[in-house]
Amino acid sequence: MSTGAEIFQPITVQVADIALARRVRRRWWLALALSGAATVAFVATVVWLLATGVGIWGINIPVNWGLAIVNSIWWAGLATAGTLISALLLLVPGQQWRSALNRFAEAMTVLAVAMAGVFPILHLGRPEAVHWMLPLPSTLGVWPQFRSPLTWDVASLLAYLLVSLAFWYVGMIPDLATLRDRAGGARRRRAYNRLALGWRGSALHWARWRQAYRAAALMAVLAATLHSGGAMLFAAGPSAAWHTTGLPPYLLASGVFSGLAVVLLLTLSLRAAFGLGAVITGRHLDIMGRLLLVAGLAFLYGAATLAFGAWYSGDPRQAQFLVERAVGAHAVTTWAAMALMFVPLQALWWRRARRAPAVLAAVALAVVPGVWLDRYVLVLGGLQRDYLPSRWGEYAPTAAEWALFGGTLGAFAFLFLLFVRFLPLVAMFEIREATA
Amino acid sequence: MNTAPPAALLASFPDADSLLAAARRARQEGYECIDGHSPFPVDGLAEALGFDERRVVLLAGAGFVGGFSLALLAQWWMNAVDYPLNVGGRPLAAWVAFAYPAFELACLAGAVVGIAAMLLLNHLPRPGHPLLDVEPFRRASQDRFFLSIATVDPRYRPRRTEAFLRDLGARQVLEVPP
Amino acid sequence: MVSFAPGRDHLAPMRAGLVTAAKAVTAALAVVAVALAAAWSAGGIPRPPPVQPVPFSHAHHAGALGLDCRFCHSDAERGPRAGLPATEVCMSCHYPVEVRPEVPALRWVRTARLPDFTYFDHSVHVAAAVDCAACHGAVAEMAQPVPPRPFTMLWCLDCHRQRAVERARLEHCYACHR
Amino acid sequence: MPAIAEAGALRRREFLRGMAASAATAALAGCGRSPVGAVPYVERPEEVVPGRPLFYATAIPFAGFAQPVLAETHMGRPTKLEGNPDHPVGGGATDAFTQAAVAALYGPERSRRPLRGGVAAAWADFAALAPELAGPGLRVLTGAVGSPTLVRQLTALVEEAGARWHVHEPGLPPPQAGRPSLHPRLDAAGAVVCLDADPLGPGPAQVAHVRAWSAAPRRPLFVAEPTLSPTGAVARRRLAAPAGRVPVLARALAAELGLGQAPPLADDEAAWVAEAVAALAAQPGESLLLAGPTQPGAIRDLALAVNARLGNLGRTLLATEPVLAMPPGGDEFSLAALVEDMRGGRVRALLVLEANPAYTQPAGLDFAAAARRVPWRIHAGLCRDETAALCHWHLPLHHPLEDWSDARAVDGTAGIIQPVTRPLHESVSAHAVLAALLGEPGADPREVVRDTWRRRWDEDDFEARWRRALHDGFVADTGAAPLTLAPPPLPPPEPDEVGGLEAVFRPDPCVWDGRFAAVPWLQELPKPLTTLTWTNVVALGAGLAGRLGVATGDTVEVSAAGAAVAAPAWIMPGQAEASVTLFLGYGRRNGAGVGRGRGYDAYPLRPGPQGWRVAGVRLRRLDGAAAPLPVIQPHQTLAGLDDIVRTVAPGAAVPPPAAAASLYPEWEYPGPAWGMVIDLDRCTGCNACVVACQMENAVPTVGPSEVAKGRALHWLRVDLYYQERPEGLRTYFQPVPCMHCEKAPCEFGCPVNATVHGPEGLNQMVYNRCIGTRTCSSYCPYKVRRFNFRDYAGAMPAAYAPLRNPDVTVRAQGVMEKCTYCTQRIAAARIEARKDNRPIRDGEVRTACQQACPARAIVFGDLADPGSAVARARDDRRHYGLLAHLGTRPRTTYLARTEAR
């Protein structure tokens, strides 16, 4: 009979040693330096923004929400995919496929939500008063206004961030224990032991842990679903372009779509970087491909439904929004988005393509910016062509806005690299469980 | 070899099944202060050791419900009671609107309470547990499976218990220092 | 069954410490809260009276002599600001017409400060029979009066909410802000 | 408005002196933080209640005519001008220029002290020098003059000192000496035909005309003009005809009525003439034919003859003795004559009094070179402008709000101009300058003015009448004496204009002839028919633009008779294809503050001091990318949406909207329910409401670059829509303030309760609570909310700080702001009503826009009171709510535009 040693040792060693390796590859340092530089630029831009105000952006009346909101809902959308892969699949009985991916998918979620949360604060006219959105007692005696979809957004972003953070950490505890037990030096051992809360794999601990972990997973899924990428902020307003119940599912679908693409990219790069072919097998890629295809088609259906609804409503302004989207100021953006999102995607109908990392990477690399462009058109569409033609206006993002967007990308990469370096990026115990 | 009696005996097993079998036997023998240690959750092990509780789940549920109602109540009090303001001609007690943040905060409360309950019931964090000082026990988080019998167990007898563990098929039996 | 948890718990002091810390923080917060509440109800931390250009005693004029506030602050019932008496008003009592000296304009230091972004009209409050003391305190007993309490929004609201025939009338923003 | 006894006026200025410190601190009081120090009066004037405004009746002269006003002052600083409701002209309304006049008072461009050769000098030095300047060699150049006192002094100067007086008024044709003033009575005319005439357009008489027209705005109005004007915009039938073609139309029209020979016409012209004639002939004696002052005198005579034939003289067209005074002798006293004399060395001393010939001179008239041959050149004006730069002496003049003077309104009614504040700078009164030349250096302007009236009134009740005049703001029964006109002889027909491109000149609707270029509020005021700000353009027709391959914003070169200017092109709806329009007043070089160097200077192309048209123009496109123009409203079509500007046939009703079902509870609105109704039939897009709103609510300007970004801050905007219809071009003006929706989307969008609904139905905006999420604006279907993307208030020149209405909060960077229905006025009324325990009366609260509107298009009041004017307006058949189908329940609603189809 095969003992644990033979089955479990390889995966343990392989994953654990990524975090425990004494010497780090130059590539990692290079990536860290680059993303670090972007992060510094981000911080500098933020300082500039806070010093001079949102006047340095291209926003105006009517387009008073610009890149900041686009980025926010884009990041929030990415996050939902991580939750889906890890939490939702955890609740689906009898599948272990997720085990290889869930850990870094969750990390992606946590970081993405954090990035999504940065923008709403930066975009305030008076960021110094942001705390007025929280129910803090004061001598003013005035409270937040809870009918506002923006207050909903504050609550849901906050909840979503903390829930996914907790879910991620709790799931990591046993693997941190593994790192502790394989760590060489006493200091690292102590550090990982603290992080692992002294986990000792007790049967009772496992039992209670499982209950808590599943509960957290459920909460994460609920939070993510309801938040649906901040769609309420748009759907609840009277703007003809946004005011539809179809918007939240639309944003959710596109969010999952883009998020899956990002997870796929992370999967491929980690797999290549650390030779995790044994852990992340072709089967994983195949399923990821299928999921991406399904999500893409779901989103396509959602988009089609919205368009049909707009046309079928008979409301001239909704129709006009469609036309504006198709042939208006941002027609190029619209069609670019459509092409990027749906044309390369079709390759995934073929099994061979789904198992070819290069193809998968290409598709994912097209989808992610595609969805961002779609968000851009959506946000502008609702504002630049509102009810009164006299108030129709245009908008062009400024350098400051682009810098902030790039900055969050950099910060995301920076933090993710640290995660890869110091934390178990694959759920080892789950793979053990699966292989046992 | 120190003279003081050990805190517990620790038997190591190659795989989950043998640990599970051993745990069942030990229970039959009437041992009470026993525990299993595995690098992944072994189905049925806890139950085999007599674990039977749903407190964590129930507390998480309570957290969800409590969080929801508390959030709902707080919003209603702030917007409809303490400082009622006509906001866009909407109702003062806009339950549908209040439900949205309430639900999100309920999710937060549910997750946090569930996890907190788990940690408290498990007496975690506890980085200083004596088991962690046992060199071979490090495999418990990697590829080994252990059964521990505390010396405080009424059925514990130094020689007999060790022998018992050995014929359960333990690869080795260690003494956990006090 | 009992989980294997022998005596030596390195973290016990830490947990205990955490608990005590938590208690301490809560207690501190409570104390601060109570103090602030007391400060508000008692009218905040009273500032020492500033040095005025002339040693004028409200206690003497309003208290001993029993002058009506509006004798000097005559604008209180005519307009938004209570106003300060023109020097000629002081003169009219202190000097007979023929020997009235030439006096410079006095530069008083404000003690009652209207908060920023608010518009207050004395005349309508006088018309509504709000006693001067309600805001300015027992001036007649203070030689150098300072407002008994900071003019916070909550404090204005308290009064508005009680006095208004119909609450919304005086509770809405434009009652004070523009 | 308190009666101002003479003593009171004196004491006022004394205490103003004493109040200097407090006035300064009071200026800051508007900014929130209250000052630490408090300085009471030593002796207090009765009429002053700190924190309550005082109103004084006075007047603002514009192109020689008095614009009667009530000046609102806070602790001695004027903050707002309202029309004088008791005055026979205007009935309490004002135009945009008058609204902005108070801003000009504080303008940082005003010169601070007398200058000699550019260095600071003393007024006394000039006073000492003045007598020796008087004499035959002295020339005085003024703009149009209507002030009796000024006329008296100038006449004295001419008669006693042998000086000569020249007049140059670039924006308006001066009345020919000896000819009567004509006063069209639009209120009496049942049908009006305008030949290149723009009675409703900007100018000294705009308020009077618009008010008269608004008596019944749905009357047939026919306009033929080269470029779209406000009058053309509201016309029932408009013909785009080159200015050179208008005389032909005039003769054709006359011929139809039996005067002279009918020239050949094109079909559309013939059709228009036929309709116009029919309308005129339909109501003889109650119709009116107007030929524009920009048309040749012969055509104006022809129009007069036609009116005579129709029996309109004395009924719809009154003639009076000239209101403006002119030096006898016509051309001999023109600017050209002056330049000629200067060049000939016949001028020893030149005094330029409130005129700017160095900038406003026409083509080929080199004023500067000629002036250099004058030994003594003195300039007296508010700013150190282009002309001042040429002069040895520059004497800063008082602003009318600082000065004693008198003036006559367009109907001739005289009024006394009294100071409402202490002079801000070392300036003098124009009367003092002339008095000095007349040998009375120390003359007190007040006494000079009193002298004028002493001569008119008998001595015994002089003081009483003087006091009364000051109190009322005008002298009763001083209207110009009517004359009976003999129908003039039919002028001989002139040869028709040869075809080709013509250029017509128009004063800019916002900075006029350039005199208002320094006022930021007027610079940022959208031009009514283009919504352009901060610059001027060359307007040309779409067809011409197509032929030349010119797009809006392209730079084009307009050249005529050797001169050429380069300017941005603007494709103008309703422009006659054969003519391009150049707007005067831009390209200022000196003393124009923020207006300096903006736009292009069209004067070098102008054929004469009063040239309005130059033929044989060449136009070509210059290379270079199209410049982004600071336009307030880029989209000026209705995009096929018919629910924005509703139109109805005469007498028809707007179909009532389907009752918008609502899931929300009905809110109780106890007490006054404020609402506003705006009549689209009456609005002529004159923009007076826009500036009035800015002055009342301390709305800063943001500058051209921010306007181009779409960040203009006007609380009240006048939307402009063009629509090509089979019956011709239609122009719609739609004033859009905040709708104060009862189901306001903005409010539920705000996360911090910064905008909520008040018990009186006001959509309240609390600046100090706002954190700037801008959700409210995203949710506002009307986009009436404005955001402080930058610290606009702080960026205004400090000189304007005292202009801020102390009853309004100064908005900080990063907060939303919008129309509040002038809540400070509502608050004042509420307080007064509460003090004497009565409800607020109808008409007691008037919003700034309503008060300024000469067309009475805006009605405001309590909807809960069925008797109120606004409630009655809501019962009108034409009543509708903008985008009411959204269920927002707007409190601001409209009366549909009536259109005969």
Side-chain angles (χ1 to χ4, degrees):
Chain A
M1 68 177 271
S2 68
T3 66
E6 291 134 27
I7 316 170
F8 306 132
Q9 208 47 276
I11 154 77
T12 309
V13 172
Q14 190 175 21
V15 175
D17 287 3
I18 296 172
L20 296 174
R22 286 242 169 273
R23 286 174 57 262
V24 191
R25 292 218 212 69
R26 184 178 281 100
R27 270 187 296 165
W28 185 84
W29 281 116
L30 199 64
L32 193 72
L34 286 175
S35 53
T39 314
V40 172
F42 174 61
V43 174
T45 322
V46 168
V47 171
W48 177 33
L49 176 71
L50 295 183
T52 55
V54 290
I56 62 176
W57 291 355
I59 49 178
N60 54 41
I61 305 289
V63 190
N64 59 9
W65 289 345
L67 233 50
I69 300 300
V70 174
N71 297 334
S72 182
I73 62 174
W74 179 72
W75 277 116
L78 297 188
T80 48
T83 310
L84 182 91
I85 286 187
S86 71
L88 185 56
L89 293 188
L90 172 70
L91 301 172
V92 177
Q95 65 77 37
Q96 280 91 16
W97 168 83
R98 73 186 266 281
S99 321
L101 315 175
N102 67 320
R103 176 64 42 75
F104 59 81
E106 289 159 21
M108 184 275 280
T109 295
V110 172
L111 295 180
V113 179
M115 296 306 149
V118 167
F119 284 104
I121 298 171
L122 291 184
H123 112 122
L124 291 181
R126 292 166 66 200
E128 68 270 23
V130 64
H131 60 278
W132 281 347
M133 288 212 250
L134 306 174
L136 306 170
S138 80
T139 57
L140 300 178
V142 189
W143 300 106
Q145 203 277 101
F146 292 101
R147 299 169 199 79
S148 163
L150 205 66
T151 328
W152 305 353
D153 221 28
V154 173
S156 49
L157 262 180
L158 208 64
Y160 190 21
L161 178 63
L162 297 178
V163 171
S164 41
L165 189 64
F167 179 63
W168 178 59
Y169 175 65
V170 170
M172 207 156 43
I173 290 176
D175 287 337
L176 288 167
T178 308
L179 291 190
R180 169 198 64 201
D181 292 338
R182 289 189 63 81
R187 258 168 66 254
R188 297 181 106 193
R189 180 175 157 78
R190 202 177 307 110
Y192 279 121
N193 188 30
R194 285 275 150 84
L195 281 176
L197 308 177
W199 181 263
R200 52 186 194 276
S202 150
L204 285 80
H205 291 186
W206 276 121
R208 296 201 182 95
W209 174 90
R210 215 178 223 171
Q211 293 178 0
Y213 193 48
R214 289 179 174 278
L218 179 63
M219 297 306 159
V221 172
L222 293 178
T225 320
L226 189 64
H227 180 259
S228 63
M232 282 299 171
L233 184 55
F234 304 96
S239 162
W242 297 334
H243 190 62
T244 159
T245 50
L247 203 63
Y250 173 93
L251 278 183
L252 189 58
S254 53
V256 172
F257 183 36
S258 54
L260 281 173
V262 172
V263 174
L264 185 52
L265 285 173
L266 295 175
T267 310
L268 294 167
S269 37
L270 292 175
R271 186 167 183 261
F274 301 108
L276 291 173
V279 184
I280 305 169
T281 62
R283 175 167 164 279
H284 286 101
L285 300 187
D286 186 17
I287 299 182
M288 280 298 293
R290 291 165 192 258
L291 274 178
L292 191 61
L293 184 58
V294 171
L297 295 177
F299 173 43
L300 188 56
Y301 170 75
T305 319
L306 276 198
F308 175 78
W311 166 74
Y312 192 68
S313 71
D315 174 355
R317 289 186 169 83
Q318 291 201 30
Q320 167 197 13
F321 168 59
L322 272 189
V323 176
E324 181 64 28
R325 239 184 140 163
V327 301
H330 297 281
V332 182
T333 325
T334 310
W335 295 115
M338 291 294 159
L340 284 168
M341 288 188 294
F342 299 124
V343 175
L345 184 68
Q346 304 312 319
L348 300 184
W349 289 102
W350 289 275
R351 194 158 192 285
R352 289 257 297 317
R354 287 200 302 269
R355 286 185 177 259
V359 178
L360 285 171
V363 174
L365 278 173
V367 167
V368 175
V371 171
W372 188 90
L373 291 176
D374 183 70
R375 295 275 194 264
Y376 184 81
V377 180
L378 179 81
V379 171
L380 260 64
L383 292 170
Q384 68 181 359
R385 294 288 177 272
D386 203 28
Y387 285 90
L388 299 183
S390 65
R391 290 295 99 186
W392 288 358
E394 306 307 330
Y395 161 77
T398 60
E401 287 166 285
W402 289 117
L404 289 173
F405 178 41
T408 44
L409 292 176
F412 175 87
F414 185 75
L415 296 170
F416 193 83
L417 283 164
L418 293 180
F419 156 74
V420 167
R421 172 69 182 83
F422 294 108
L423 295 174
L425 59 85
V426 171
M428 292 177 277
F429 72 92
E430 286 197 24
I431 293 189
R432 292 190 204 108
E433 189 176 11
T435 46
Chain B
M1 201 77 199
N2 58 18
T3 52
L9 291 181
L10 195 60
S12 83
F13 297 88
D15 52 49
D17 305 341
S18 40
L19 171 60
L20 198 51
R24 295 220 171 82
R25 285 278 315 283
R27 283 286 290 174
Q28 286 161 7
E29 284 296 314
Y31 284 101
E32 287 167 354
C33 302
I34 50 180
D35 197 357
H37 304 272
S38 55
F40 60 83
V42 177
D43 286 332
L45 179 56
E47 290 70 12
L49 294 171
F51 171 82
D52 158 29
E53 68 168 48
R54 310 197 46 72
R55 285 189 285 177
V56 170
V57 177
L58 294 178
L59 282 169
F64 184 88
V65 176
F68 188 81
S69 28
L70 199 67
L72 214 53
L73 206 66
Q75 294 179 66
W76 169 74
W77 181 80
M78 286 185 260
N79 278 183
V81 178
D82 184 47
Y83 203 153
L85 286 162
N86 175 350
V87 171
R90 270 63 172 175
L92 281 177
W95 297 113
V96 183
F98 297 164
Y100 190 107
F103 185 87
E104 290 286 358
L105 295 174
C107 294
L108 180 57
V112 169
V113 171
I115 291 163
M118 180 269 283
L119 292 176
L120 287 176
L121 292 172
N122 284 347
H123 295 289
L124 291 175
R126 187 165 176 193
H129 195 282
L131 268 176
L132 305 178
D133 303 334
V134 181
E135 183 63 24
F137 186 75
R138 296 189 178 187
R139 305 286 293 273
S141 68
Q142 303 173 48
D143 55 1
R144 280 293 162 79
F145 301 79
F146 293 90
L147 185 70
S148 64
I149 300 183
T151 49
V152 296
D153 191 295
R155 306 240 324 118
Y156 173 79
R157 301 286 180 280
R159 299 268 176 282
R160 284 235 320 274
T161 307
E162 183 170 358
F164 169 72
L165 287 172
R166 290 203 181 286
D167 71 48
L168 281 181
R171 284 285 176 84
Q172 59 184 143
V173 177
L174 310 148
E175 291 193 342
V176 182
Chain C
M1 62 160 293
V2 185
S3 171
F4 169 53
R8 254 179 333 139
D9 180 352
H10 299 299
L11 271 200
M14 189 199 84
R15 283 208 223 82
L18 275 177
V19 172
T20 30
K23 284 180 182 162
V25 171
T26 336
L29 284 178
V31 170
V32 171
V34 170
L36 285 179
W40 288 334
S41 53
I45 305 85
R47 295 188 302 276
V51 181
Q52 298 289 9
V54 289
F56 176 84
S57 162
H58 277 80
H60 174 65
H61 290 78
L65 299 178
L67 293 179
D68 186 296
C69 305
R70 287 166 290 182
F71 181 83
C72 298
H73 303 286
S74 54
D75 287 328
E77 55 192 4
R78 295 207 290 167
R81 310 189 197 151
L84 296 172
T87 323
E88 62 184 343
V89 175
C90 316
M91 291 292 145
S92 60
C93 296
H94 286 267
Y95 292 92
V97 179
E98 53 277 7
V99 298
R100 195 168 291 178
E102 191 62 29
V103 288
L106 295 169
R107 178 171 281 275
W108 299 92
V109 182
R110 287 177 188 273
T111 53
R113 289 261 206 99
L114 187 64
D116 298 351
F117 304 111
T118 54
Y119 290 83
F120 179 88
D121 188 297
H122 275 89
S123 62
V124 72
H125 288 81
V126 171
V130 179
D131 182 12
C132 305
C135 304
H136 296 286
V139 170
E141 295 149 20
M142 295 182 271
Q144 298 244 308
V146 288
R149 56 180 76 227
F151 299 154
T152 66
M153 177 168 169
L154 254 184
W155 178 63
C156 295
L157 274 174
D158 287 343
C159 198
H160 274 201
R161 284 167 174 164
Q162 290 157 17
R163 294 186 62 101
V165 189
E166 165 213 351
R167 189 175 173 186
R169 269 250 163 277
L170 291 178
E171 199 180 22
H172 68 97
C173 311
Y174 277 2
C176 309
H177 302 288
R178 291 174 190 170
Chain D
M1 117 190 85
I4 301 166
E6 200 51 353
L10 279 171
R11 181 144 38 68
R12 187 163 77 254
R13 282 192 301 289
E14 277 166 11
F15 100 74
L16 283 174
R17 219 168 289 118
M19 278 298 297
S22 313
T25 50
L28 302 172
C31 319
R33 184 159 300 289
S34 44
V36 179
V39 184
Y41 299 106
V42 175
E43 295 176 27
R44 71 169 297 159
E46 296 83 12
E47 72 267 25
V48 172
V49 176
R52 288 250 182 284
L54 285 174
F55 291 85
Y56 299 110
T58 178
I60 302 291
F62 170 38
F65 294 99
Q67 304 291 327
V69 296
L70 301 180
E72 174 181 358
T73 67
H74 290 267
M75 307 298 283
R77 66 193 162 97
T79 60
K80 181 81 167 64
L81 300 179
E82 305 294 357
N84 183 344
D86 304 335
H87 198 283
V89 172
T94 50
D95 62 6
F97 300 136
T98 313
Q99 280 298 331
V102 65
L105 165 69
Y106 298 103
E109 74 282 358
R110 283 186 63 189
S111 39
R112 299 288 189 268
R113 62 189 60 76
L115 299 173
R116 177 172 39 193
V119 298
W123 158 247
D125 301 350
F126 176 79
L129 166 77
E132 72 196 52
L133 298 178
L138 171 65
R139 303 300 180 91
V140 183
L141 178 69
T142 67
V145 173
S147 156
T149 302
L150 212 51
V151 174
R152 180 174 64 82
Q153 288 182 294
L154 286 165
T155 324
L157 214 49
V158 170
E159 286 164 0
E160 294 161 24
R164 270 183 163 195
W165 168 26
H166 300 257
V167 171
H168 174 53
E169 184 64 46
L172 275 182
Q176 289 99 328
R179 287 195 59 144
S181 303
L182 292 179
H183 304 273
R185 288 194 51 218
L186 293 174
D187 47 350
V192 180
V193 176
C194 292
L195 294 166
D196 196 1
D198 182 18
L200 305 183
Q206 181 181 33
V207 174
H209 287 158
V210 172
R211 193 163 190 83
W213 176 254
S214 71
R218 287 177 286 282
R219 284 166 293 177
L221 171 62
F222 296 81
V223 176
E225 58 186 1
T227 186
L228 188 60
S229 71
T231 312
V234 299
R236 171 179 297 182
R237 191 85 158 68
R238 177 181 176 275
L239 178 70
R245 188 68 182 161
V246 169
V248 182
L249 293 171
R251 285 207 303 285
L253 208 144
E256 292 274 337
L257 290 162
L259 295 170
Q261 305 303 323
L265 292 179
D267 298 349
D268 58 338
E269 294 176 327
W272 181 87
V273 168
E275 279 192 53
V277 168
L280 287 175
Q283 355 192 0
E286 291 178 352
S287 55
L288 178 59
L289 173 64
L290 288 176
T294 61
Q295 283 293 318
I299 298 307
R300 296 211 294 275
D301 289 345
L302 184 59
L304 208 52
V306 171
N307 281 314
R309 164 63 65 98
L310 289 167
N312 296 339
L313 293 190
R315 303 178 67 176
T316 60
L317 188 61
L318 304 185
T320 66
E321 46 101 8
V323 173
L324 293 181
M326 287 299 292
D331 284 353
E332 176 189 353
F333 293 88
S334 69
L335 176 63
L338 171 64
V339 170
E340 197 43 52
D341 290 357
M342 291 196 299
R343 204 177 280 116
R346 292 185 288 279
V347 181
R348 179 166 163 272
L350 170 67
L351 167 64
V352 180
L353 193 64
E354 290 196 276
N356 188 6
Y359 165 69
T360 59
Q361 63 184 333
L365 197 67
D366 192 347
F367 178 87
R372 286 205 185 76
R373 308 202 43 192
V374 178
W376 292 99
R377 307 189 290 272
I378 300 99
H379 172 269
L382 267 70
C383 311
R384 190 144 185 266
D385 56 19
E386 291 84 349
T387 308
L390 292 174
C391 295
H392 305 106
W393 273 91
H394 168 58
L395 304 171
L397 289 185
H398 290 336
H399 184 280
L401 292 173
E402 303 166 325
D403 200 1
W404 282 100
S405 183
D406 48 16
R408 301 182 75 184
V410 284
D411 73 337
T413 303
I416 309 295
I417 296 175
Q418 60 173 330
V420 299
T421 185
R422 200 169 57 112
L424 300 171
H425 313 301
E426 280 182 44
S427 54
V428 293
S429 162
H431 300 303
V433 175
L434 289 180
L437 287 168
L438 285 164
E440 326 151 12
D444 169 6
R446 173 164 158 275
E447 286 314 315
V448 177
V449 176
R450 279 164 64 89
D451 280 352
T452 312
W453 293 94
R454 235 190 225 97
R455 297 167 197 215
R456 303 202 176 183
W457 298 332
D458 42 358
E459 193 52 50
D460 47 14
D461 67 343
F462 171 78
E463 287 302 337
R465 295 185 68 169
W466 174 258
R467 214 171 289 129
R468 175 123 207 92
L470 284 177
H471 171 276
D472 296 349
F474 63 94
V475 184
D477 318 321
T478 47
L483 306 172
T484 46
L485 273 185
L490 211 56
E494 296 149 10
D496 288 359
E497 278 289 341
V498 289
L501 195 57
E502 68 173 14
V504 295
F505 299 85
R506 293 284 182 273
D508 184 88
C510 295
V511 303
W512 196 241
D513 58 4
R515 74 184 62 192
F516 300 123
V519 183
W521 285 271
L522 288 175
Q523 284 283 6
E524 197 155 300
L525 187 64
K527 327 259 181 217
L529 297 163
T530 61
T531 74
L532 196 64
T533 64
W534 288 100
T535 186
N536 58 344
V537 288
V538 171
L540 67 162
L544 179 61
R547 279 202 301 288
L548 298 173
V550 172
T552 290
D554 290 352
T555 313
V556 293
E557 184 192 64
V558 186
S559 49
V565 298
W570 184 274
I571 298 177
M572 184 76 198
Q575 179 82 8
E577 287 303 336
S579 60
V580 298
T581 312
L582 281 69
F583 294 94
L584 306 169
Y586 279 89
R588 289 288 307 272
R589 301 183 296 279
N590 294 67
V594 292
R596 182 159 198 250
R598 298 197 183 281
Y600 70 95
D601 182 359
Y603 282 104
L605 275 189
R606 207 175 180 195
Q610 288 306 324
W612 295 103
R613 170 176 182 278
V614 54
V617 167
R618 284 185 316 287
L619 187 69
R620 67 184 183 90
R621 183 181 185 286
L622 297 181
D623 301 337
L629 294 168
V631 184
I632 295 276
Q633 182 187 337
H635 294 78
Q636 300 175 354
T637 65
L638 281 165
L641 298 165
D642 58 358
D643 57 355
I644 297 169
V645 176
R646 295 289 191 87
T647 58
V648 294
V654 175
S662 175
L663 296 171
Y664 301 131
E666 288 304 322
W667 278 79
E668 290 302 312
Y669 291 108
W674 301 113
M676 180 181 280
V677 174
I678 301 175
D679 187 341
L680 299 183
D681 269 345
R682 292 170 175 272
C683 180
T684 60
C686 73
N687 271 341
C689 51
V690 176
V691 186
C693 172
Q694 288 177 300
M695 292 297 131
E696 171 69 20
N697 294 300
V699 179
T701 58
V702 300
S705 58
E706 292 290 283
V707 169
K709 284 201 191 91
R711 296 175 177 181
L713 219 56
H714 307 100
W715 282 8
L716 169 63
R717 62 175 202 261
V718 181
D719 284 350
L720 168 71
Y721 297 109
Y722 289 113
Q723 201 170 38
E724 282 298 346
R725 290 267 200 79
E727 62 266 30
L729 177 77
R730 286 262 177 254
T731 312
Y732 300 113
F733 299 111
Q734 185 171 41
V736 184
C738 175
M739 297 286 134
H740 292 273
C741 314
E742 287 179 7
K743 305 286 180 203
C746 54
E747 291 175 8
F748 92 92
C750 178
V752 292
N753 272 323
T755 181
V756 298
H757 228 64
E760 298 174 349
L762 293 189
N763 168 251
Q764 306 180 328
M765 180 70 225
V766 188
Y767 314 116
N768 45 315
R769 178 68 178 174
C770 177
I771 64 174
T773 72
R774 305 189 290 285
T775 318
C776 51
S777 179
S778 296
Y779 283 7
C780 176
Y782 312 93
K783 291 286 176 281
V784 294
R785 292 175 157 268
R786 302 284 173 265
F787 188 69
N788 289 272
F789 290 93
R790 297 178 182 279
D791 180 11
Y792 296 125
M796 291 302 284
Y800 289 118
L803 176 61
R804 291 176 186 153
N805 182 349
D807 294 334
V808 174
T809 303
V810 176
R811 281 79 64 187
Q813 168 171 336
V815 307
M816 199 55 82
E817 63 182 73
K818 65 162 193 81
C819 158
T820 65
Y821 272 170
C822 290
T823 182
Q824 64 278 12
R825 294 183 174 202
I826 296 175
R830 191 191 297 123
I831 286 169
E832 285 315 308
R834 170 71 182 77
K835 273 153 71 176
D836 33 18
N837 282 312
R838 56 167 176 82
I840 302 175
R841 294 186 212 87
D842 185 33
E844 190 173 352
V845 182
R846 306 182 68 208
T847 63
C849 51
Q850 172 191 23
Q851 195 162 9
C853 180
R856 288 170 289 190
I858 302 176
V859 189
F860 176 82
D862 178 4
L863 298 173
D865 164 13
S868 70
V870 68
R872 277 183 272 111
R874 275 207 166 202
D875 294 336
D876 191 296
R877 298 156 58 80
R878 298 183 291 125
H879 176 264
Y880 76 97
L882 184 58
L883 301 178
H885 61 82
L886 295 178
T888 50
R889 308 256 187 100
R891 279 286 180 91
T892 305
T893 50
Y894 295 87
L895 298 185
R897 169 90 166 256
T898 311
E899 276 181 358
R901 296 220 174 66

